[in-house]
Amino acid sequence: MPLEPATDAAHRLLVVIPVYDHEHAIAKVVAGVQQAAVPCLLVDDGSRASCALVLQQLSQQPQVGLLRLERNQGKGGAMLAGFAHAAALGYSHVLQIDADGQHDTADIPAFIAASQQQPDAVICGIPAYDQSVPKARLYGRYATHIWVWINTLSLHLRDSMCGFRVYPLAPLQQLVASERLGRRMDFDTEVLVRLYWRQVPVAHRLTRVTYPVDGVSHFDVWRDNLRISAMHARLFLGMLRRLPRLLRQRLSGRPG
């Protein structure tokens, strides 16, 4: 059913879940969100008919909305559509969580509480992996960590790839209006670095991450690694243009 506009509370949070052919996992994720008693928006990123049907059924529940994109736009494109929808309904914050069941929905209240304490900050998840994590994925993340530390001249951003986070919508919408962001697997890292460049505070919370045996991954090793490499190159050039200001920020005592 359609989501109601946000109330007049100072901290108005909407959970946004980008979904692409995750019909076997999404019901459990939605149930976890409902345990936290917060509204959520399912963004159907051009899923196949079987997944679209599951999402339509889930959207009949109270406090569950559905936004369908006719053509697959990638995780970033789905999140950007979700942000715009949330802003139009008057929400002040968006909690992003993946649809594949990797993230622990029991941590949602802790993320919300952290955001209420620091409403101007991005609350970014730091994965605590169990034995299910593929070693290639685990070690491969460090290449991105190193590039992020270079491009921010800081060690402050501890993990830019975790898709479990809370965004304050006002600075995010300002960023989206002035910069073109990656639409696919490059989105999570790029948006966090660019918000950091704009001096949006970033706080961190540890959260358990598991890789289900029957989980569905849409990471394309060749295409997505190429996109991520291009994203790092763009950010490096952007860092060079901002180098004097970033150095001044470091000297002024900004976390890093």
Side-chain angles (χ1 to χ4, degrees):
M1 59 184 61
L3 285 171
E4 295 293 328
T7 65
D8 293 334
H11 191 276
R12 306 176 302 279
L13 183 138
L14 176 68
V15 175
V16 173
I17 310 174
V19 188
Y20 179 54
D21 293 345
H22 286 107
E23 62 261 42
H24 301 298
I26 187 59
K28 184 176 179 180
V29 177
V30 170
V33 173
Q34 290 180 317
Q35 285 291 315
V38 287
C40 75
L41 174 69
L42 306 173
V43 182
D44 180 355
D45 190 21
S47 296
R48 60 193 171 214
S50 56
C51 183
L53 178 61
V54 169
L55 297 181
Q56 183 63 42
Q57 293 169 342
L58 289 171
S59 71
Q60 302 306 306
Q61 301 179 48
Q63 294 287 75
V64 180
L66 176 61
L67 175 64
R68 175 163 176 80
L69 307 179
E70 294 301 325
R71 178 175 57 84
N72 176 261
Q73 298 185 28
K75 180 181 182 181
M79 284 307 305
L80 291 171
F83 293 142
H85 196 76
L89 289 173
Y91 288 92
S92 63
H93 291 73
V94 161
L95 186 149
Q96 171 186 329
I97 191 169
D98 287 354
D100 58 6
Q102 290 184 21
H103 298 146
D104 188 354
T105 55
D107 284 342
I108 288 176
F111 274 74
I112 294 173
S115 181
Q116 289 171 335
Q117 293 169 4
Q118 295 179 266
D120 296 330
V122 179
I123 310 300
C124 191
I126 302 297
Y129 294 109
D130 62 14
Q131 295 303 310
S132 67
V133 60
K135 294 300 184 285
R137 295 285 293 272
L138 178 63
Y139 299 138
R141 297 172 75 89
Y142 281 94
T144 282
H145 296 344
I146 291 168
W147 271 113
V148 166
W149 297 334
I150 292 170
N151 288 331
T152 59
L153 300 185
S154 169
L155 299 176
H156 182 65
L157 299 184
R158 294 168 55 191
D159 191 303
S160 67
M161 302 181 75
C162 182
F164 192 176
R165 54 181 64 164
V166 180
Y167 295 99
L169 271 178
L172 179 63
Q173 291 297 87
Q174 291 170 5
L175 172 64
V176 171
S178 60
E179 302 274 1
R180 178 170 175 79
L181 301 171
R183 262 41 178 188
R184 295 192 177 272
M185 295 297 185
D186 48 356
F187 171 78
D188 285 337
T189 295
E190 184 170 11
V191 69
L192 193 64
V193 170
R194 291 190 181 277
L195 287 171
Y196 184 85
W197 281 349
R198 289 170 172 246
Q199 302 187 57
V200 176
V202 178
H204 302 94
R205 281 205 62 87
L206 199 66
T207 185
R208 187 171 65 92
V209 175
T210 60
Y211 281 75
V213 174
D214 58 349
V216 176
S217 173
H218 296 298
F219 189 88
D220 185 301
V221 173
W222 296 106
R223 291 182 181 178
D224 284 317
N225 276 325
L226 184 61
R227 289 188 186 101
I228 289 170
S229 297
M231 176 265 297
H232 287 312
R234 290 196 306 273
L235 292 177
F236 182 71
L237 294 175
M239 181 274 290
L240 292 178
R241 292 195 301 272
R242 295 167 173 84
L243 187 57
R245 179 165 58 81
L246 290 172
L247 288 172
R248 286 196 300 270
Q249 289 173 199
R250 288 300 307 277
L251 292 173
S252 70
R254 186 175 183 194

